[in-house]
Amino acid sequence: MSGEVWVSSVISNYSIGDNQGAREKFFGRQWAPPTHIIAPEPEDVMNAHRRHKQGVRLCREEMTEAMFVFDEERWKRVDDLFMAGPFYAAKGRLAELLQTFDLGDGGLIEFPIFQADKRTPLPGPFYLLNFGCQKDTFLPEQSRGVKLWFSVEDAGFELWQVNLALEDGDIAVGPSARSGCDLWFEKRLHERIFTSGRLHDAIVAADLNIDFKFAKARTIG
């Protein structure tokens, strides 16, 4: 239903991106080596990664420039939601679906993925998922299974996190959650993606091979 609000725990699934058989290149840097062993990212990339997972729109140069596939068998098993370095990316039916919804100030950014020679492009298209919408409608006092992670009292800022797997009704939001973009992050809740009822229903109907771990939020007011 279009008036519903859903919360997804998909980005708490850290197996997404494991052993994809592909590596990345960042702007102004060399290609990562063709190995499944991932070295720590540079500090500026990690800063961008943290903002990415808060739903902050990034500049193109802050995200992955390109990728190459060094293990084709593993790459063939990659789902429509995958990782381009530390950033989420989409292809196939998921990308087609997301293009029809309001993603706020962000959106899908097409980028190249090459064969092992780093010159021959793979048939795409492939897109970086540049999140670009934050809302501040989360109601922690009316929510279940959440705890205060940290706060900056002088700035009036607090961040909450989820204790356990979410069930329908655990997360409470205000009525303004129904307005605006179809995919967003809540400023005060760590690592959860929110969707409108329309986007949730479209994802479920697409029968993607991705567990979005959806739970219905309670809208209060």
Side-chain angles (χ1 to χ4, degrees):
M1 296 175 60
S2 60
E4 293 177 343
V5 173
W6 292 80
V7 55
S8 167
S9 299
V10 67
I11 64 172
S12 67
N13 179 5
Y14 299 115
S15 68
I16 296 175
D18 283 353
N19 300 327
Q20 294 182 147
R23 292 303 306 273
E24 71 286 342
K25 179 187 184 301
F26 301 113
F27 286 92
R29 291 189 168 91
Q30 300 296 315
W31 287 100
T35 174
H36 297 294
I37 301 172
I38 309 298
E41 305 288 4
E43 186 59 30
D44 61 328
V45 173
M46 290 311 300
N47 285 336
H49 166 68
R50 285 187 282 270
R51 289 162 52 229
H52 176 65
K53 294 185 77 174
Q54 295 168 353
V56 177
R57 179 182 179 274
L58 301 180
C59 298
R60 175 67 186 95
E61 292 75 18
E62 293 182 280
M63 304 185 80
T64 303
E65 180 179 2
M67 294 177 68
F68 75 98
V69 172
F70 65 89
D71 187 330
E72 293 184 8
E73 290 305 311
R74 288 187 181 274
W75 176 253
K76 288 177 183 177
R77 298 195 290 268
V78 169
D79 290 324
D80 284 358
L81 181 68
F82 63 101
M83 301 302 296
F87 305 104
Y88 285 89
K91 59 184 179 69
R93 286 184 295 163
L94 176 61
E96 293 172 3
L97 184 155
L98 290 174
Q99 286 176 321
T100 66
F101 286 87
D102 182 357
L103 305 183
D105 292 333
L108 301 183
I109 301 173
E110 190 168 357
F111 77 110
I113 300 181
F114 299 104
Q115 295 181 14
D117 62 8
K118 305 183 185 70
R119 292 187 300 273
T120 307
L122 292 179
F126 306 102
Y127 299 94
L128 296 165
L129 230 178
N130 192 9
F131 301 121
C133 186
Q134 289 183 320
K135 298 182 185 181
D136 192 8
T137 72
F138 170 56
L139 302 174
E141 293 80 8
Q142 283 78 45
S143 297
R144 301 187 294 261
V146 299
K147 66 178 180 180
L148 184 63
W149 191 19
F150 70 85
S151 63
V152 182
E153 193 168 328
D154 292 344
F157 175 78
E158 59 186 24
L159 188 64
W160 294 71
Q161 66 179 175
V162 174
N163 290 336
L164 302 170
L166 289 176
E167 302 290 340
D168 288 351
D170 282 347
I171 299 299
V173 294
S176 58
R178 297 191 183 105
S179 303
C181 45
D182 292 296
L183 186 151
W184 73 94
F185 288 70
E186 286 288 336
K187 290 182 178 180
R188 294 183 293 155
L189 186 63
H190 181 61
E191 287 196 357
R192 293 298 183 276
I193 296 176
F194 287 73
T195 74
S196 65
R198 293 190 316 116
L199 178 52
H200 163 269
D201 293 351
I203 289 173
V204 171
D207 195 25
L208 302 168
N209 188 31
I210 303 165
D211 185 2
F212 281 87
K213 301 181 180 179
F214 278 118
K216 187 187 299 185
R218 282 183 295 125
T219 305
I220 298 177

